[in-house]
Amino acid sequence: MVNKTGYFVISLDFELMWGVRDNVTKQTYGQHILGVQTVIPKLLSCFHKYQINATFATVGFLFIKDKNELFSSLPATLPNYKELRLSPYGSYLEQEIGTNDLDDKYHYGLPLLQLIQQSPGQEIATHTFSHYYCLEEGQTIEDFKNDLQSALHISKRRNINIESIIFPRNQVNQSYLKICSDAGITCYRDNEKSWIYDARNSKNERYYRRLIRIMDAYLNLSGHHCYSSQYMSRSIPYNIASSRFLRPYSKRLKWLEWLRLKRITNSMTHAAKNNLTYHLWWHPHNFGINQDENFAFLEKVLKHYQELNVKYSFTSITMKDLSKELSDAKNK
């Protein structure tokens, strides 16, 4: 099976406070989270302008309309993480969560989710129900299964059919993939094929790996990370691996913006010329501050996509639709 065209995949990890609550507070990071209220409409407008089909992997809590529904939608079993701060349950749910999105825009996201749902060409995927950590000590495969079931249940209540999953903190647990396929998940986003991107839990992560990843965002240290159909379709769920995390604008490193852009566009061109897939991802809250700079950078990336689309038929596609393409090609 050989790609007949190159594909451009964009996925976003839509989390709000659920994705960062174990590391930051409203006081230290709140402006990034509140900024998502304007980031999502801007992203949808930008994607429409440049004809981009994107995948929004959304934490299940964001499908919830109010606190009563939240408590009635919890999984049958809860993860018993060894590090207690990793769990969003217990005192955090009791003390930190407001009644609904009118008084708590840090934890509720249904109005934004409905905007995505109403936007043509956009996919809503799961980011697990509770921003679940699949490699952390204490949680079990049964806990994950119940978490996923809760995520799929609440999505169906909103008339959304989930076919793709993105694992929080990129903690891809290979042992859990069969649970996903049994639940109807057809694809997931794995990490780049390099030791600096190998999935690890928080205990085993190392500062030097983070430092090298930052350097890799500006200089090609680890390769283009563009993928062929043969690599992605080895088994179900299909592995639509990451190529690059779109790091947000940094005032400290603004003098290196041209390198950051070149790192991305060079790899996109490599994918387009060789009929490979390039997968760019980030979180909406990464654009929560410095929005002018972040969106100006994104537009440069998307303008380059349009040039590649005209010249090489490089095609924007969601994870779900790419998995269908892979399946159709495999079954021919």
Side-chain angles (χ1 to χ4, degrees):
M1 178 174 54
V2 179
N3 287 37
K4 294 181 179 179
T5 186
Y7 289 111
F8 182 41
V9 178
I10 286 181
S11 63
L12 299 108
D13 299 6
F14 182 24
E15 312 167 342
L16 295 184
M17 201 69 190
W18 301 108
V20 296
R21 43 149 292 280
D22 51 313
N23 290 324
V24 299
T25 64
K26 294 177 185 176
Q27 289 71 35
T28 61
Y29 202 74
Q31 290 306 307
H32 292 76
I33 301 301
L34 293 179
V36 176
Q37 299 295 320
T38 53
V39 166
I40 292 291
K42 285 182 180 179
L43 281 173
L44 293 173
S45 176
C46 197
F47 291 163
H48 176 74
K49 178 180 178 180
Y50 292 100
Q51 297 179 298
I52 296 295
N53 301 312
T55 295
F56 288 78
T58 307
V59 170
F61 282 130
L62 301 185
F63 289 75
I64 301 293
K65 64 182 179 181
D66 57 37
K67 199 165 186 176
N68 288 334
E69 186 179 39
L70 190 156
F71 278 100
S72 67
S73 302
L74 299 184
T77 61
L78 305 180
N80 186 27
Y81 298 119
K82 184 175 181 180
E83 288 193 51
L84 297 180
R85 68 182 179 84
L86 297 178
S87 177
Y89 299 110
S91 61
Y92 190 85
L93 280 191
E94 294 286 351
Q95 300 170 14
E96 298 293 333
I97 314 303
T99 304
N100 53 44
D101 70 281
L102 295 178
D103 66 356
D104 184 356
K105 297 191 182 300
Y106 297 95
H107 297 97
Y108 294 94
L110 186 57
L112 294 175
L113 191 68
Q114 289 169 335
L115 280 181
I116 300 168
Q117 189 178 10
Q118 294 160 9
S119 300
Q122 309 307 309
E123 175 193 7
I124 295 174
T126 185
H127 202 35
T128 73
F129 183 76
S130 63
H131 203 257
Y132 188 100
Y133 303 125
C134 295
L135 293 177
E136 296 295 342
E137 295 180 34
Q139 56 83 33
T140 68
I141 192 169
E142 189 65 21
D143 295 335
F144 172 74
K145 182 178 180 180
N146 288 324
D147 182 278
L148 182 59
Q149 287 177 343
S150 289
L152 299 180
H153 179 76
I154 193 63
S155 66
K156 286 179 181 176
R157 194 181 299 171
R158 304 295 178 235
N159 297 314
I160 296 170
N161 182 41
I162 300 292
E163 296 186 39
S164 310
I165 186 169
I166 292 176
F167 293 92
R169 301 278 162 85
N170 298 309
Q171 291 189 10
V172 178
N173 191 324
Q174 298 293 323
S175 301
Y176 292 6
L177 293 181
K178 187 176 186 306
I179 298 292
C180 296
S181 61
D182 289 346
I185 301 292
T186 62
C187 60
Y188 69 104
R189 188 187 73 206
D190 203 351
N191 303 318
E192 294 94 316
K193 293 186 292 181
S194 169
W195 67 273
I196 63 174
Y197 296 103
D198 288 344
R200 294 187 182 183
N201 60 25
S202 55
K203 178 181 177 182
N204 294 316
E205 186 54 275
R206 295 293 181 265
Y207 176 77
Y208 68 85
R209 288 210 325 157
R210 294 194 185 103
L211 180 60
I212 296 172
R213 288 198 296 266
I214 292 173
M215 294 171 61
D216 193 38
Y218 296 89
L219 301 170
N220 189 348
L221 301 181
S222 66
H224 290 300
H225 301 294
C226 303
Y227 303 101
S228 66
S229 297
Q230 290 92 331
Y231 172 79
M232 293 186 291
S233 61
R234 288 173 182 170
S235 60
I236 298 174
Y238 297 132
N239 175 12
I240 303 177
S242 166
S243 302
R244 179 69 32 213
F245 169 57
L246 179 59
R247 291 190 171 276
Y249 171 81
S250 167
K251 291 181 181 178
R252 264 189 322 117
L253 298 174
K254 64 181 180 180
W255 57 284
L256 292 176
E257 284 292 272
W258 68 277
L259 275 178
R260 185 165 71 101
L261 180 63
K262 185 179 178 182
R263 178 73 169 103
I264 292 170
T265 55
N266 281 357
S267 294
M268 289 171 65
T269 301
H270 175 78
K273 284 183 175 180
N274 294 281
N275 294 335
L276 300 174
T277 293
Y278 183 81
H279 189 163
L280 187 67
W281 74 277
W282 69 98
H283 311 84
H285 64 247
N286 294 139
F287 281 22
I289 64 170
N290 301 316
Q291 290 192 25
D292 290 345
E293 293 84 356
N294 281 311
F295 275 97
F297 186 92
L298 178 61
E299 289 219 41
K300 291 176 183 177
V301 172
L302 300 186
K303 285 177 181 176
H304 186 66
Y305 158 72
Q306 284 196 325
E307 294 169 3
L308 297 175
N309 173 259
V310 171
K311 191 170 183 179
Y312 301 105
S313 297
F314 197 44
T315 303
S316 173
I317 195 168
T318 64
M319 289 178 61
K320 175 181 70 175
D321 287 342
L322 180 52
S323 73
K324 290 178 181 176
E325 293 280 341
L326 293 170
S327 183
D328 290 345
K330 197 173 184 179
N331 293 328
K332 281 183 179 179

